[in-house]
Amino acid sequence: MLNIVQKLNGAKFIDLIENYSNQTLSSIIITDPNQMDNPIVYVNEYFTLHTGYRLEEVLGKNCRFMNGALTDKDDLKKVKEAIQNKQSIHIELMNYKKTGEHFWNNICNSPIFDVEGNLIYFISVQQDVSSYKQSEHMFMALNKTLQTIYEGKNLQAILKNLCELVEKTFNYDAKCSILLVDKEQAYLNVGAAPSLPEDYVKKIKKVEIGPNEGSCGSAAYNKKPTLVDDIQTNPLWDKYRTYAEKYNLRACWSFPIFNRNKSEVLGTFAIYFHYTRKPEPFDLELIEKAIQVATIALEYITSHKRIFKLAYFDTVTGFMNQNLLFQTMDSMLQSSERKMQKSAVLFLDLARFKLIVDKYGHAVAGAVIQTFAKRLELALADMIPLQIARYAADEFVFLFSFEEKLQVEQIAKAVLEVAKKPIIHNDDELYLAPSIGISLFPSDASNSDSLIQYADIAMRRAKQQGIHLYEFFAEQMELDNNNDLGLLNDLHKALENEEFILHYQPQVDSKSRKIIGVECLVRWNHNKYGLIPPNRFIPLLEETGLIFAMDEYILRKACLQNKKWQDEGLPKIPMSINVSSKQFLHKNFVETVDEILRETEIDPQYIIIEITENIALNHNEYVSQVIRKLKETGVSVAIDDFGTGYSSLSYLQDYNVDILKIDRSFTWRIGNNSNSENITEAIIFIAKKLGLAIIAEGVETDEQLEFLNFHECWNIQGFLFGKPMDEEKFSKQLQLQNINL
């Protein structure tokens, strides 16, 4: 463009610039340095729109009419020298519009020469960069605030840095303070006041929020800025004037700090001067940015507390979660090691919680856990100090130091007692089926990971023994657990290779000593370890999801076996088949049973589906529907392990079951425990009243048999009449019975 300009005279140059300049969003000014005082000879339309000056108001004038109090005099001197030396200059000046509003002006001033090299004009291309400069100030404040937050500083340090930044922007001519609202007591506390005299800060430590409480108390009360340019004469300062005058504080502008949606005052931002002063528009803009940053800082602290709670505490129970658990454990173990104390880790599992989730949904399950948590806190409040974590949806960890092992057992028993009690939902009694594993520091392990792992292993051992039990970790458990991991890898092939076999335990009429039924029990005939009992591999099947395939496999094989015995002319007896809770609650379970019955051509009256009381307790309505549909296929339904669920027995009114099986935990204690005898007698009585058949499991002694017979329970299952046996041995038992008929 300059090559073209050099070939033009002055008038044609202005015409050329005019055609170009009205297409741009920059102010363009042309001045004539050959006239006195370098007057303006041209401005484009954007200049007049932006500054508010009309064309006739600026033509013939020097550009200094745009200068003001905040225009830097040294920068003006640089501009003047560049014009005198016929040189270009690029500079930023604080300029003013016609309204008096100031703005940052980015100026690029260049000389224009004619063909002979004579200076004919200066052309100035100017852009308003106020928003950039304001963003720069805000960025500095925000960056500094974020930096202090990132450094983990507390709120006071964050606010202190912000005050110092604003004071620096005012060339240290000002002193800033940030006061924070105390919601409970309705006054302002000092959040930060780094440059105010210490004695003065003490005087404003608690500023009341009210209409005549200085600049800050009034700003918080009125929820709008309170700009006092002369403290000595303003009545708002009557209570505090003496303190202010003592430290030569003459002006104070205070601004309320709101939360992000402007619904609440969080505090006040104040700026003091040692002389009377009214704020300029630019001052207000700067302070507004500072207040925005203060809002971010205050909301950060509130959010940080909320985030910390979400990150480290369970939202349902209020107990710490896994993240905080391990930090707490590490600190506890370090402390225990220093003090030579012993510590315990209790790992609690609630086996039936998942069933509650499946049946009632997450909202109800959450309410159940919340009730359980409150009961726990109440029950453990008077015991030795401990901390509780919700480790998973149905798992909790308890941490505490102890002196005697008896204290650990007391805690475990107290937790079990709480978890045993039913939680009522819409007249349904929901049971959690607790099991606890315990590991000890330093005897079992010296680090958090191992202690949790060992307590978990012990819990699984307790779970295998039944519900409502606790177990202390032992080294053998870890060896068994490692073996389980190996078994876990073998499970998939085991089903394909048909390594799972059925054993059969007779059910006998103790009056006639005849076999009246049989229960099929699965065993894993492992190619390396031999026969493995169900309590070792059933939990693994449930973990892997293979339990569905296993249950279907057992059901089909059992039906085929019973049909085979019948086809061979052996006595026709019903066969009891256990199904897992997951299989029973599966939506296609009844269809699967019906399909297998038809496939195997077994008469349904010779098949009994056994469900545990575990299933019955937490799925009343759905279980009732499934039982009804099962009975429509022609099979019978028995409740296994009856009496272990601590239920009200009310569900027996709703379920149309055929058989109750008295759990072996009661029959084993007959002759040694009067409570077990009373419960057994009560179960027999209830079954008779309801017209249900009854079978006693686990009968091993004549004394147990005599007690059961005395109370007219004749159907017996247990070692006294036969252990579980393979197909060949049980076939011989049936053949012998056939011969004796």
Side-chain angles (χ1 to χ4, degrees), residues 449-511:
D449 289 335
S450 296
L451 285 167
I452 290 287
Q453 179 188 357
Y454 292 164
D456 187 8
I457 291 172
M459 179 275 295
R460 293 175 188 276
R461 175 59 61 88
K463 201 172 183 180
Q464 289 173 1
Q465 308 306 316
I467 57 174
H468 308 150
L469 300 175
Y470 65 86
E471 287 278 352
F472 283 89
F473 173 75
E475 289 185 8
Q476 184 59 43
M477 292 181 186
E478 185 179 17
L479 296 175
D480 292 342
N481 185 65
N482 291 335
N483 291 335
D484 286 346
L485 291 176
L487 294 177
L488 196 61
N489 295 326
D490 297 338
L491 272 176
H492 293 273
K493 292 181 181 178
L495 267 173
E496 295 175 9
N497 298 335
E498 296 190 355
E499 294 177 12
F500 293 102
I501 60 174
L502 297 185
H503 278 191
Y504 307 92
Q505 186 172 31
Q507 296 166 344
V508 176
D509 179 346
S510 59
K511 289 185 293 185

Side-chain angles (χ1 to χ4, degrees), residues 143-154 157-158 161:
N143 186 54
K144 186 70 174 179
T145 303
L146 292 176
Q147 182 180 346
T148 54
I149 291 172
Y150 176 77
E151 291 170 353
K153 299 291 180 64
N154 57 29
I158 294 170
N161 281 324

Side-chain angles (χ1 to χ4, degrees), residues 391-644:
Y391 192 75
D394 55 355
E395 295 173 340
F396 293 80
V397 172
F398 301 77
L399 309 175
F400 55 92
S401 297
F402 68 96
E403 294 180 2
E404 302 294 334
K405 192 174 180 180
L406 178 62
Q407 294 174 299
V408 181
E409 293 184 295
Q410 288 173 341
I411 295 289
K413 289 175 181 177
V415 172
L416 288 176
E417 283 302 316
V418 172
K420 284 178 184 178
K421 296 176 182 177
I423 295 173
I424 309 301
H425 171 70
N426 290 344
D427 297 327
D428 291 340
E429 293 181 331
L430 309 182
Y431 292 82
L432 295 172
S435 301
I436 290 177
I438 305 168
S439 62
L440 304 177
F441 169 90
S443 57
D444 292 332
S446 58
N447 63 80
S448 301
D449 289 335
S450 296
L451 285 167
I452 290 287
Q453 179 188 357
Y454 292 164
D456 187 8
I457 291 172
M459 179 275 295
R460 293 175 188 276
R461 175 59 61 88
K463 201 172 183 180
Q464 289 173 1
Q465 308 306 316
I467 57 174
H468 308 150
L469 300 175
Y470 65 86
E471 287 278 352
F472 283 89
F473 173 75
E475 289 185 8
Q476 184 59 43
M477 292 181 186
E478 185 179 17
L479 296 175
D480 292 342
N481 185 65
N482 291 335
N483 291 335
D484 286 346
L485 291 176
L487 294 177
L488 196 61
N489 295 326
D490 297 338
L491 272 176
H492 293 273
K493 292 181 181 178
L495 267 173
E496 295 175 9
N497 298 335
E498 296 190 355
E499 294 177 12
F500 293 102
I501 60 174
L502 297 185
H503 278 191
Y504 307 92
Q505 186 172 31
Q507 296 166 344
V508 176
D509 179 346
S510 59
K511 289 185 293 185
S512 65
R513 302 298 170 111
K514 292 181 180 178
I515 297 173
I516 57 167
V518 61
E519 180 178 0
C520 70
L521 303 163
V522 66
R523 300 288 185 267
W524 183 0
N525 189 18
H526 196 281
N527 55 16
K528 181 178 178 181
Y529 303 114
L531 289 180
I532 299 175
N535 62 351
R536 289 287 306 280
F537 63 83
I538 292 296
L540 302 178
L541 286 168
E542 291 179 340
E543 286 181 22
T544 59
L546 290 172
I547 192 67
F548 296 104
M550 168 62 83
D551 280 344
E552 189 171 337
Y553 172 82
I554 293 170
L555 183 61
R556 180 175 280 104
K557 193 164 185 177
C559 288
L560 285 169
Q561 182 62 63
N562 203 5
K563 183 66 165 64
K564 178 185 174 186
W565 283 330
Q566 292 181 14
D567 291 345
E568 291 173 351
L570 296 177
K572 294 182 177 182
I573 57 173
M575 179 179 287
S576 296
I577 305 168
N578 294 282
V579 296
S580 68
S581 59
K582 290 187 176 182
Q583 179 76 316
F584 185 86
L585 297 170
H586 192 278
K587 62 181 180 180
N588 295 326
F589 174 62
V590 177
E591 288 79 358
T592 300
V593 171
D594 190 49
E595 181 182 343
I596 290 174
L597 290 172
R598 285 187 279 103
E599 274 182 24
T600 58
E601 299 180 348
I602 185 75
D603 188 334
Q605 68 174 308
Y606 296 112
I607 297 297
I608 300 170
I609 299 296
E610 287 194 9
I611 63 174
T612 63
E613 198 171 23
N614 178 350
I615 298 173
L617 288 175
N618 291 328
H619 293 265
N620 294 353
E621 184 181 344
Y622 184 72
V623 168
S624 182
Q625 293 175 4
V626 176
I627 290 174
R628 187 180 67 252
K629 291 179 181 178
L630 277 175
K631 290 178 69 65
E632 287 174 0
T633 68
V635 303
S636 300
V637 178
I639 293 183
D640 195 14
D641 303 330
F642 187 79
T644 61

